Amino acid sequence: MNILVLGSGGREHTFAWKISQSPLSKNLYVAPGNSGTAEIATNINIGVTDFEAIKKLVLDKSIDMVVVGPEDPLVKGIHDYFLNDNTLKHVSVIGPQKEAAELEGSKEFAKEFLYRHNIPTAAYESFTKETVEKGYAFLETLNAPYVLKADGLAAGKGVVILNNLDEAKAELKSMLVDAKFGEASTKVVIEEFLDGIELSCFVLTDGKNYKILPTAKDYKRIGEGDTGLNTGGMGAVSPVPFATDEFLNKIEERIVKPTINGFEKDNLPYVGFVFIGLIKVGDDPKVIEYNVRMGDPETEVVLPRLKNDFVEILQAMSNQTLDTINIEIDERAATTIMLVSGGYPETYEKGKEISGIKAIQDSIPFHAGAQIQDGKIITSGGRVMAITSYGDTYQEAIKKSYQNIEKLHFDKMYYRKDIGFDL
Ligand code: AMP
Ligand code: GLY
């Protein structure tokens, strides 16, 4: 079949890498793609939310399946766009429809869903500009730290955690009254602070059946020891060593099952990935957030451990036959280290030549913010490349990635040297 992957990050390079190994994949396109996807697929330079251009491409190239990488097109309703168009409705879209995508698009929608289905999560209340005074009063009833979340999509920046009550009130005002995150902070969710270690759980679903992929842990902060600003993710490890079978069983029974059943009960059709951000509080998992897509860089460690034909799985998701698939997982650990442009996640320079990729042995370089220009591979984003390795232990895998990173270079290249430090 002819497949189109939407997106341009390490996640999408990993999708393309895995899809291209399938005998079921004939012509593979990535829009817009990066230098990594250019090696194994055809890149098409159109944006992920340009639905009209996507439609034209799908019809021109007789594309049978569209795999949506990032959340933006899902929240904007790309799946509904395909279903509502007679010339497109036969095409399989991997990613939920607009209504279910609100699980990521609106924190309040997600909290209401979690409460309705009795899924463990932090207590919360939500506020608007009109109820800001009530928000201050609610903050006064809580203990520090205070967790404030802009309701809508804010490019990963919408969560603010503060230790001081006055600062929390000022932040609430800035979000609601001064529209700090624009439209995204018209509503703000204030949550109970949960103290624990985080991990991510990835679930494939056809809306009725589900399969759980290996767990992963990502490292979100820019600085070693988990310090400094939040990023999209600086590295990841799979499996998560502290996720014992007993703990995984709790995740499945208390969180995954009620989530999938919740889609059915609420009449939310869902074909796609559910990324459940979890926190281990004592011995119990609680949900921090839902995302309606795979994580990045978690995909770069989760998919390499999947032994199945990925296209066969995607087809089963789309045909509602996921129950017939037997998921097979590589026993080895996989880790990835993200190379980023100096200055990221604040301002950074682009256009730096990346050298040494060909010298990499025994690791897989998944390209992210990297493009081909005049035959050279140059940086084009903050997160540039994720270096994934396998190992009998995660320590061994991490060591391999660091050894290979020694061979890579671009001006102002930065990476964390302590991925896995807390495990
Ligand atoms: P989110 O965008 O909802 O994933 O939040 C970003 C990060 O904020 C999470 O990965 C957590 O580290 C932190 N966080 C979010 N909600 C809470 C909470 N209720 N308690 C503690 N930390 C939280
Ligand atoms: N690595 C976190 C995310 O993809 O949102």
Side-chain angles (χ1 to χ4, degrees):
M1 58 197 304
N2 297 331
I3 302 175
L4 167 65
V5 175
L6 290 181
S8 61
R11 169 180 52 212
E12 288 77 18
H13 185 193
T14 313
F15 280 168
W17 169 83
K18 190 73 184 149
I19 290 170
S20 67
Q21 293 165 23
S22 168
L24 297 168
S25 164
K26 198 164 123 217
N27 296 306
L28 177 59
Y29 302 91
V30 185
N34 60 34
S35 47
T37 62
E39 287 172 16
I40 51 178
T42 305
N43 283 352
I44 308 277
N45 192 18
I46 55 180
V48 295
T49 55
D50 188 348
F51 294 174
E52 276 179 35
I54 293 169
K55 171 178 175 175
K56 190 171 174 300
L57 173 69
V58 165
L59 296 177
D60 282 353
K61 306 290 184 191
S62 304
I63 284 164
D64 306 291
M65 177 184 279
V66 179
V67 184
V68 185
E71 63 278 13
D72 230 27
L74 295 169
V75 172
K76 294 203 165 96
I78 190 164
H79 197 148
D80 312 64
Y81 178 87
F82 272 65
L83 289 174
N84 292 330
D85 186 310
N86 276 329
T87 61
L88 294 176
K89 66 178 176 204
H90 67 283
V91 177
S92 303
V93 177
I94 305 297
Q97 292 167 47
K98 190 175 164 103
E99 204 187 341
E102 281 297 286
L103 286 173
E104 178 162 1
S106 161
K107 303 273 186 202
E108 188 184 43
F109 181 90
K111 294 302 279 193
E112 286 173 351
F113 179 90
L114 287 159
Y115 265 70
R116 192 160 55 244
H117 300 293
N118 285 314
I119 301 169
T121 187
Y124 80 105
E125 280 193 39
S126 53
F127 301 92
T128 60
K129 193 163 145 182
E130 286 69 37
T131 57
V132 65
E133 294 292 335
K134 286 196 177 128
Y136 299 150
F138 182 62
L139 283 169
E140 282 168 12
T141 69
L142 300 174
N143 296 319
Y146 305 94
V147 182
L148 281 70
K149 300 185 172 185
D151 179 61
L153 291 183
K157 297 192 175 74
V159 177
V160 182
I161 301 181
L162 295 163
N163 279 313
N164 174 292
L165 180 62
D166 289 331
E167 280 176 24
K169 287 182 180 173
E171 181 66 28
L172 183 67
K173 175 174 179 288
S174 144
M175 284 187 178
L176 288 174
V177 182
D178 311 327
K180 178 174 177 186
F181 298 107
E183 188 73 5
S185 64
T186 317
K187 249 184 224 160
V188 172
V189 169
I190 301 180
E191 263 188 26
E192 163 201 13
F193 179 82
L194 299 176
D195 197 7
I197 186 159
E198 287 178 57
L199 74 159
S200 307
C201 168
F202 298 95
V203 183
L204 307 168
T205 186
D206 57 15
K208 191 170 75 204
N209 307 291
Y210 68 86
K211 297 286 167 181
I212 302 180
L213 292 173
T215 53
K217 184 178 192 315
D218 82 336
Y219 290 80
K220 288 201 177 88
R221 303 294 196 92
I222 188 71
E224 282 158 21
D226 285 343
T227 54
L229 293 173
N230 254 321
T231 70
M234 297 296 291
V237 175
S238 176
V240 179
F242 63 81
T244 59
D245 285 347
E246 193 193 343
F247 188 67
L248 292 174
N249 192 44
K250 286 183 187 169
I251 296 176
E252 180 161 11
E253 293 301 322
R254 298 178 191 177
I255 294 167
V256 176
K257 281 186 184 166
T259 297
I260 306 299
N261 290 337
F263 296 158
E264 277 203 284
K265 283 187 193 151
D266 293 354
N267 206 1
L268 296 171
Y270 202 121
V271 169
F273 306 97
V274 194
F275 164 169
I276 312 179
L278 298 169
I279 189 158
K280 183 172 179 266
V281 182
D283 285 324
D284 296 318
K286 294 197 180 197
V287 176
I288 293 242
E289 63 167 346
Y290 285 114
N291 294 306
V292 297
R293 51 174 174 86
M294 285 295 290
D296 193 349
E298 292 94 325
T299 304
E300 289 93 304
V301 294
V302 171
L303 281 196
R305 296 189 60 225
L306 180 68
K307 289 204 217 160
N308 300 63
D309 180 328
F310 192 41
V311 177
E312 219 170 78
I313 295 182
L314 297 172
Q315 270 180 327
M317 285 158 70
S318 163
N319 298 335
Q320 255 99 50
T321 54
L322 196 55
D323 52 327
T324 63
I325 299 280
N326 186 20
I327 298 281
E328 287 178 76
I329 300 301
D330 194 321
E331 287 297 312
R332 290 174 297 172
T335 61
T336 200
I337 313 291
M338 190 63 80
L339 308 181
V340 307
S341 301
Y344 172 82
E346 298 184 281
T347 52
Y348 55 84
E349 293 164 30
K350 301 181 192 176
K352 311 288 186 189
E353 185 177 354
I354 307 166
S355 63
I357 301 172
K358 288 220 164 66
I360 291 182
Q361 279 168 335
D362 239 15
S363 291
I364 313 167
F366 288 119
H367 299 211
Q371 295 288 343
I372 298 180
Q373 200 179 74
D374 305 324
K376 291 177 185 161
I377 298 180
I378 57 158
T379 65
S380 62
R383 293 194 294 172
V384 172
M385 200 169 277
I387 310 302
T388 294
S389 311
Y390 295 100
D392 289 332
T393 60
Y394 74 86
Q395 292 93 333
E396 191 189 310
I398 287 172
K399 202 168 141 202
K400 252 187 235 169
S401 287
Y402 284 128
Q403 278 165 353
N404 275 303
I405 288 171
E406 295 287 313
K407 302 170 191 164
L408 288 164
H409 177 79
F410 57 86
D411 185 32
K412 301 197 175 73
M413 174 172 112
Y414 169 78
Y415 57 96
R416 272 181 63 170
K417 296 178 186 64
D418 69 339
I419 298 304
F421 81 99
D422 56 341
L423 297 175

